Amino acid sequence: MARDRVEDEELNHHGKNDSRHSPSSSQEFAHDGEKSDMGRRQSTLNMKLKNPLAGMSYDELMADVEQFAKKYDLDYALEDLQKGALVSQKKSGFETFERLTDDDKTLIREEKLHRWRQPKMMYYMTSTLKPQPREAAPPEIRGALAMMWQMWTAFGIMLGFIAGVAFGGVKIPAGVENTQWRIILGSTAIPPMVVCAQVYLVPESPRWYMSKGRYDKAFASLQRFRWSRFQAARDLYYIHKQIAIEYELQKGKNLWKEFFSVPRNRRAAQSSFFVMFMQQFCGVNVIAYYSTVIFQTSGFSRDQALLVSMGTGIVNWLFAIPAVYTIDTFGRRNLLLVTFPLMGIMLLITGFSFYAEEGINRLAGVATGIYLFMVVYSPGEGPVPFTYSAEAFPLYIREYGMAFATATTWGFNFILSLTWPALEQAFTPTGAFGFYAAWNFFAWGFAYFCLPETKERTLEELDQVFSVRTRDHARYYLDMLP
């Protein structure tokens, strides 16, 4: 209802604009007609993206699958492809399909009833390759698997802190000073080498194979991510139809121009920029990069500071694990609305603890504030930005959108890592933590008034959501305030 009301206001707004700026020549009418035809074509293609097989008769569907199998030398899998196409066309009616065996129907039921029961390769993939879960994972757990990169990133950060503790007092060769940092830095090369070795054990992306016309290899890849050849055949054909429509959407368009000139895309970019910017300016990487120095400033010894810093890494990882479930349960916007103010409060606790007398009270305040900050960050601004950005953009510019989003987060990460020492020196630790706390409180206001929800939205619903003007979205939520 909220979206309907805002959309109605927008339609009324555009209606008024049309009356003020009505066309005055046949050329303008023709131009408007062309734009209308393009809009209808875009709308039709978006509807097809929801289900590319909708509207096809049984004979048309079977003939199309047969043609597909012949074109890509997949005749040996024709029976599975045709059964899969039937299921993809009408997902809820599979129980009545006579062509499906009892085993086929059991597999489809299992997908809904036990969505986490997946082949081992599906989970192995999430620990090695970041983009692939969105391309190979089943829809039921795609969001959760796609954000597992955050859990493994947190795991890597934790290993870095453990390395700091393990090698902080080591001297190699014996008696040589200041060798510890070299050993700590060198140890960070080991986990990436392990991950690089594992990449060769993971199948290539099925979509990438299909983009190169290598459908036999795409089929083999999908079979390693599914329990049966029937399921792999179903997804292969469905992905093929989706890719064909994506190419149609991109045809004849300057995608970078579309990225900034189309209001729907521009609003998605605005929202994506916000969540990515705040992933850095919420203050988390100040703690990740400078926690040992911060703890030493508060009064811990160097060895104690290394141990307490290791605790922040462990807390960050442990609380990233439940985010796999909460990301698809509570919604992206709701998670941010809960966690932004809490992160701000925790940073204020940390900052004002420096006013306490040097000793146990200051140490306890700083450690408590930072630990609780990591508890709140891990299920909120940790997993949300990349998940949100991957959903916000329409398919035909999603690659550009994710490139923009990734550049945003790492660009501000670079700025944050360079500016913290100067900020702390100029404003004192209290002022520096207060600075990032203020950004969190600002972010709560922006998220409440300007950030649309993307959880469980279809492509058509997302187009509607991001077609609503930001001012109308803000006005609606302003009216909801008590």
Side-chain angles (χ1 to χ4, degrees):
M1 290 182 66
R3 192 167 66 249
D4 293 341
R5 175 179 163 182
V6 176
E7 287 165 4
D8 288 343
E9 291 176 6
E10 184 183 16
L11 289 172
N12 291 335
H13 170 82
H14 289 310
K16 292 174 184 176
N17 286 346
D18 291 343
S19 65
R20 291 197 300 266
H21 302 288
S22 59
S24 57
S25 69
S26 58
Q27 287 183 338
E28 288 175 319
F29 277 118
H31 181 65
D32 287 349
E34 290 175 8
K35 288 170 67 177
S36 179
D37 289 341
M38 290 175 62
R40 281 194 292 270
R41 177 175 173 272
Q42 181 92 5
S43 178
T44 300
L45 288 172
N46 284 338
M47 286 296 293
K48 285 185 177 180
L49 272 174
K50 184 178 181 181
N51 189 338
L53 310 181
M56 297 176 70
S57 67
Y58 177 84
D59 292 337
E60 289 173 337
L61 184 62
M62 294 299 102
D64 188 71
V65 174
E66 188 172 351
Q67 184 180 9
F68 167 76
K70 287 181 179 178
K71 181 177 180 179
Y72 296 106
D73 297 324
L74 295 170
D75 299 274
Y76 64 92
L78 179 60
E79 176 65 18
D80 287 319
L81 287 166
Q82 289 182 327
K83 291 192 297 184
L86 285 171
V87 173
S88 294
Q89 185 184 46
K90 192 177 180 182
K91 296 179 175 65
S92 60
F94 71 91
E95 296 283 3
T96 62
F97 295 157
E98 295 181 359
R99 292 190 64 171
L100 298 185
T101 66
D102 289 340
D103 289 341
D104 294 334
K105 293 178 181 179
T106 298
L107 286 168
I108 299 172
R109 291 190 208 105
E110 290 288 310
E111 288 179 337
K112 301 295 182 183
L113 297 175
H114 305 286
R115 60 179 185 159
W116 293 102
R117 190 179 297 167
Q118 300 291 334
K120 291 179 181 178
M121 183 56 69
M122 183 67 71
Y123 294 106
Y124 184 69
M125 167 188 64
T126 65
S127 65
T128 55
L129 300 174
K130 178 180 170 183
Q132 191 144 324
R134 286 210 161 270
E135 300 183 357
E140 291 80 11
I141 58 171
R142 187 172 295 150
L145 287 184
M147 66 72 49
M148 276 191 178
W149 73 271
Q150 173 65 25
M151 183 184 73
W152 291 113
T153 298
F155 181 75
I157 292 171
M158 180 185 71
L159 290 182
F161 282 121
I162 291 173
V165 172
F167 301 116
V170 174
K171 296 180 182 180
I172 301 176
V176 178
E177 296 294 330
N178 299 321
T179 58
Q180 296 91 342
W181 69 269
R182 294 179 174 86
I183 300 170
I184 293 170
L185 191 62
S187 69
T188 62
I190 297 173
M193 290 179 182
V194 174
V195 173
C196 284
Q198 291 176 328
V199 167
Y200 293 97
L201 305 176
V202 179
E204 183 56 85
S205 160
R207 272 181 171 259
W208 184 85
Y209 276 135
M210 294 166 77
S211 70
K212 305 299 180 184
R214 298 158 68 179
Y215 278 72
D216 55 335
K217 290 187 176 296
F219 188 36
S221 177
L222 270 172
Q223 288 183 73
R224 296 185 67 184
F225 294 118
R226 301 293 184 268
W227 287 116
S228 70
R229 195 170 84 164
F230 154 67
Q231 291 169 301
R234 173 199 62 188
D235 295 341
L236 181 79
Y237 177 67
Y238 193 77
I239 293 171
H240 164 75
K241 300 300 286 186
Q242 283 187 316
I243 289 175
I245 295 172
E246 289 173 26
Y247 286 155
E248 280 292 310
L249 284 167
Q250 294 177 357
K251 191 181 296 182
K253 293 179 178 177
N254 182 327
L255 296 185
W256 273 118
K257 183 179 178 181
E258 292 261 327
F259 186 78
F260 292 105
S261 63
V262 176
R264 180 259 184 267
N265 299 341
R266 194 164 59 243
R267 294 186 190 106
Q270 169 189 284
S271 297
S272 176
F273 174 88
F274 164 73
V275 294
M276 287 297 191
F277 168 78
M278 281 308 304
Q279 187 173 59
Q280 301 304 320
F281 269 62
C282 70
V284 66
N285 281 328
V286 167
I287 295 170
Y289 298 156
Y290 293 102
S291 60
T292 302
V293 176
I294 292 168
F295 286 129
Q296 283 183 283
T297 304
S298 68
F300 286 100
S301 67
R302 193 200 69 163
D303 290 342
Q304 289 173 333
L306 285 170
L307 278 170
V308 180
S309 293
M310 183 180 71
T312 66
I314 294 172
V315 169
N316 183 28
W317 178 62
L318 289 176
F319 282 87
I321 296 172
V324 174
Y325 300 94
T326 59
I327 190 73
D328 283 328
T329 304
F330 297 107
R332 294 77 167 111
R333 182 174 177 272
N334 288 337
L335 282 172
L336 295 182
L337 289 176
V338 171
T339 56
F340 274 137
L342 291 176
M343 285 192 292
I345 292 169
M346 299 312 153
L347 290 179
L348 289 178
I349 291 173
T350 303
F352 283 108
S353 294
F354 282 91
Y355 281 132
E357 291 283 337
E358 224 179 292
I360 190 65
N361 290 335
R362 179 192 290 186
L363 299 179
V366 171
T368 299
I370 287 179
Y371 274 46
L372 291 179
F373 175 90
M374 300 306 290
V375 167
V376 176
Y377 166 83
S378 294
E381 260 297 295
V384 166
F386 277 92
T387 304
Y388 189 98
S389 298
E391 294 170 333
F393 297 100
L395 284 174
Y396 78 101
I397 62 162
R398 187 162 290 173
E399 292 177 355
Y400 290 73
M402 286 307 298
F404 167 81
T406 304
T408 298
T409 194
W410 292 118
F412 283 103
N413 177 278
F414 173 75
I415 293 170
L416 178 144
S417 64
L418 287 181
T419 56
W420 171 258
L423 188 69
E424 185 184 29
Q425 186 176 5
F427 293 164
T428 73
T430 301
F433 278 110
F435 174 78
Y436 286 108
W439 276 110
N440 280 284
F441 295 126
F442 160 79
W444 182 91
F446 188 96
Y448 181 80
F449 290 109
C450 304
L451 190 71
E453 177 61 83
T454 61
K455 173 180 172 283
E456 295 181 351
R457 303 289 193 203
T458 65
L459 291 165
E460 295 75 30
E461 288 173 337
L462 285 171
D463 283 340
Q464 293 174 4
V465 165
F466 287 106
S467 292
V468 175
R469 295 180 306 175
T470 302
R471 74 186 73 168
D472 294 333
H473 188 279
R475 186 183 301 118
Y476 175 76
Y477 281 100
L478 179 63
D479 293 340
M480 289 183 65
L481 291 172

